[in-house]
Amino acid sequence: MRDIIPGLEDIVVQILHTRTLGLYFIEEGMKPWGVEDISDGTIQTLAILTAIVDPRSSTLVIEEPENSIHP
């Protein structure tokens, strides 16, 4: 993800007061970005990268990999 978002320091998941999960991108010199501030392509890229490194599955099928993801 640091190749996609230069200056990315961390990605944080927190339980919100609404009992849902919040996903935040921490970037150098910026306030945390929530998913509402991140492009669909960035979120889809994070999902693909997470699925690739998930040890629980040995197969990954991606439908329309070019959808919203910058080459």
Side-chain angles (χ1 to χ4, degrees), residues 14-55:
Q14 294 179 342
I15 298 175
L16 305 175
H17 68 282
T18 58
R19 295 185 182 183
T20 58
L21 294 177
L23 180 66
Y24 299 95
F25 292 74
I26 312 298
E27 191 176 350
E28 288 177 36
M30 304 284 288
K31 67 177 189 168
W33 299 34
V35 292
E36 62 277 353
D37 302 318
I38 301 294
S39 72
D40 291 344
T42 301
I43 293 171
Q44 289 176 356
T45 300
L46 177 61
I48 290 169
L49 293 173
T50 301
I52 288 170
V53 298
D54 187 345

